[in-house]
Amino acid sequence: MAAHGQHVVSEGLGTSEDTMRAVVHERYGGAEVLQLARVPRPEVSDRAVLVQVHAAGLDRGVWHVMRGLPYAARLAFGLRRPKHPVLGFDVAGTVIAVGRSVTRFAEGDEVYGFGEGTFAEYATVPEGNLARKPTNLSFERSAIVPVSAVTALKGLRSAGKLRAGQHVLITGASGGVGSYAVQLAKALGAEVTAVASTTKLELVRSLGADHVLDYTYEDFADGARHYDLILDIAGSPSIARLRRALTPNGTAVIAGGEDGGKLTGMSRQLSALAISPFARQRLTSFVGSVRTVDLEQLTAYIEAGTVTPSLDRTYPLEQTADAMRRLDAGEVRGKVAITI
Ligand SMILES: NC(=O)c1ccc[n+]([C@@H]2O[C@H](COP(=O)([O-])OP(=O)(O)OC[C@H]3O[C@@H](n4cnc5c(N)ncnc54)[C@H](OP(=O)(O)O)[C@@H]3O)[C@@H](O)[C@H]2O)c1
């Protein structure tokens, strides 16, 4: 079975120079499909670095790969079974080898970024998806930054074109993307209303939200307030509800939503695309990618103390399935990190 060209070699966990411990899945399903196994250590390619992983971030992207959902994504993940059994994308660790064409990193550098197969002792990461780790953060906190914080930044700034003084509504504000979105929207000068469930309202307040809405009994689209920008991360509100909550020239950016349909997961995004040309309001969506330049911008916010990653808790590699169960149960506040 291939894991970036690798095979699961053994489920026994003895040691060997050219193998490593990793969390793998050989079929799609819930947390029960995750196993600790030994796989070959990855080899560093020309434009990548080999990172000794100290911590890896768990996010919804990993959940999608584990579940093989939405089904259309199996074209990329593997039709019948996972093509890349080692899970994990976000990483923080130490560079231990660099590819021949790599110019910006050297052995010993402490880095964070977006690779593949990071729930493992070693992972390769393309040079272009990597940056030096913020000096004021632990590896655990650095590892929960890349995909979630970049998504929040792109959703607000690139897709949402947020300007200082605007009023922004953020759904899913207590989660991975949302916990960064609240802080970044404040840093960009917005007035922020954060939507979360009852037990997480305190968290989103502490992140700087000016107003909070408890979606278990309050409706952001009840007409009481209108927003210049909605960053829609969770809850899958209909396009009609998003439009009702917008100002006449407002923008809705659909960043996520697990109920977007199991086939493509994109039904609301496609509706937004179809309606937007005929509406005064702008309805859009995006898929983010993590690049060095994005990470460096986040490093600046983090080192200035403007953004602090919300670390819910950490789990050792062998308890990754428990971390996934916590995410599945909706208990995570911010994000969890896997430590290696
Ligand atoms: N476009 C992109 O490039 C991109 C990148 C990364 C992620 N995403 C997507 O963004 C979404 C969020 O990702 P994430 O990592 O932030 O997930 P997450 O950490 O699981 O956070 C999602 C949050 O949604 C809230 N929520 C659950 N049900 C809700 C409901 N009915 N109404 C309102 N809020 C609800 C939960 O908070 P409460 O417990 O407070 O309800 C939870 O904290 C996912 O769909 C993911 O696939 C997209």
Side-chain angles (χ1 to χ4, degrees):
M1 179 168 47
H4 26 77
Q6 299 173 345
H7 298 265
V8 174
V9 290
S10 154
E11 286 173 20
L13 297 173
T15 55
S16 140
E17 283 277 298
D18 47 8
T19 65
M20 62 175 186
R21 291 185 314 139
V23 169
V24 302
H25 66 146
E26 296 181 350
R27 59 192 170 89
Y28 296 119
E32 71 283 354
V33 302
L34 303 182
Q35 293 173 309
L36 192 61
R38 287 206 82 84
V39 301
R41 277 195 199 191
E43 281 170 17
V44 67
S45 59
D46 277 2
R47 292 178 190 282
V49 309
L50 184 64
V51 174
Q52 181 175 9
V53 181
H54 300 314
L58 174 61
D59 79 289
R60 278 283 156 192
V62 180
W63 180 93
H64 284 293
V65 175
M66 179 187 77
R67 293 259 174 197
L69 291 175
Y71 289 112
R74 293 191 188 193
L75 293 170
F77 301 160
L79 275 182
R80 296 163 139 253
R81 63 175 65 89
K83 266 198 272 194
H84 304 292
V86 183
L87 282 161
F89 297 109
D90 278 354
V91 64
T94 305
V95 174
I96 57 164
V98 298
R100 271 184 303 193
S101 312
V102 169
T103 55
R104 289 185 293 107
F105 299 97
E107 261 180 63
D109 286 347
E110 295 187 342
V111 292
Y112 74 141
F114 188 85
E116 192 174 85
T118 60
F119 291 179
E121 290 174 298
Y122 302 92
T124 53
V125 186
E127 181 181 27
N129 301 2
L130 202 65
R132 279 187 182 69
K133 173 180 97 53
T135 50
N136 58 340
L137 284 192
S138 63
F139 284 107
E140 288 84 352
R141 279 188 199 271
S142 301
I144 60 167
V145 173
V147 70
S148 304
V150 168
T151 302
L153 189 61
K154 291 196 167 166
L156 292 168
R157 220 175 46 182
S158 316
K161 305 196 188 320
L162 178 63
R163 295 189 309 276
Q166 287 191 318
H167 196 168
V168 55
L169 178 88
I170 298 168
T171 65
S174 62
V177 178
S179 58
Y180 291 103
V182 171
Q183 299 180 71
L184 287 164
K186 285 304 296 174
L188 294 167
E191 182 180 347
V192 176
T193 298
V195 182
S197 60
T198 317
T199 59
K200 298 181 187 170
L201 294 179
E202 221 22 71
L203 168 70
V204 295
R205 260 193 213 104
S206 75
L207 296 172
D210 300 291
H211 317 278
V212 295
L213 285 179
D214 181 339
Y215 68 80
T216 65
Y217 70 92
E218 290 173 291
D219 178 10
F220 68 78
D222 64 4
R225 302 210 60 163
H226 295 93
Y227 304 91
D228 302 302
L229 172 64
I230 300 176
L231 181 60
D232 177 32
I233 300 169
S236 299
S238 66
I239 301 291
R241 285 187 65 219
L242 289 173
R243 293 191 67 189
R244 263 206 309 281
L246 283 178
T247 56
N249 294 308
T251 296
V253 176
I254 301 172
E258 306 312 338
D259 300 323
K262 280 194 169 175
L263 184 60
T264 65
M266 300 288 282
S267 51
R268 292 181 321 127
Q269 285 87 336
L270 294 172
S271 304
L273 195 69
I275 294 167
S276 198
F278 307 102
R280 258 172 85 195
Q281 296 160 326
R282 197 163 67 88
L283 310 167
T284 186
S285 65
F286 71 105
V287 177
S289 55
V290 179
R291 299 276 175 249
T292 303
V293 60
D294 308 312
L295 291 169
E296 286 173 348
Q297 285 168 8
L298 289 164
T299 301
Y301 282 116
I302 291 165
E303 290 184 345
T306 317
V307 169
T308 304
S310 279
L311 181 63
D312 174 78
R313 54 167 293 188
T314 63
Y315 288 83
L317 187 65
E318 54 275 20
Q319 288 173 20
T320 299
D322 292 334
M324 187 60 90
R325 285 187 193 99
R326 186 168 170 81
L327 182 72
D328 237 347
E331 289 167 1
V332 176
R333 293 153 188 269
K335 289 186 72 172
V336 299
I338 307 299
T339 55
I340 292 103

